[in-house]
Amino acid sequence: MDTSVTLSGQDVFLIEYHLNQKGAKSRSAVIRKALQLLYASTLEEDYAAFGEMDGNGGADPRDSMAGDRVDEPQE
């Protein structure tokens, strides 16, 4: 699929920098990598927000059970 976007000169410079200096194969590859990083950062934010919504502040739910245990019967 082809698409067209309008970019600032600074954005174009950054794409060209990664293309020429960082060994990217194409401008599309640079943009795909940027989108992957954007997706990853969005997922981190979403997971953090989910932790806040679940009422335990993002803590591992197993932590609340750390003191719970069944003792072995003594003989």
Side-chain angles (χ1 to χ4, degrees):
M1 173 193 299
D2 287 38
T3 189
S4 176
V5 296
T6 302
L7 300 171
S8 70
Q10 185 177 8
D11 292 339
V12 173
F13 178 82
L14 183 61
I15 291 170
E16 292 295 323
Y17 172 78
H18 280 275
L19 180 63
N20 296 314
Q21 301 295 320
K22 298 294 186 177
K25 294 181 182 180
S26 66
R27 289 177 189 91
S28 293
V30 173
I31 293 169
R32 279 193 298 273
K33 180 63 176 178
L35 289 172
Q36 288 173 350
L37 294 171
L38 180 61
Y39 288 138
S41 71
T42 301
L43 284 176
E44 289 176 10
E45 292 170 4
D46 290 346
Y47 283 128
F50 179 75
E52 293 169 6
M53 289 187 318
D54 71 5
N56 68 3
D60 188 330
R62 295 172 291 185
D63 290 344
S64 65
M65 297 181 285
D68 297 346
R69 60 180 255 209
V70 176
D71 291 324
E72 295 280 332
Q74 295 181 2
E75 297 180 19

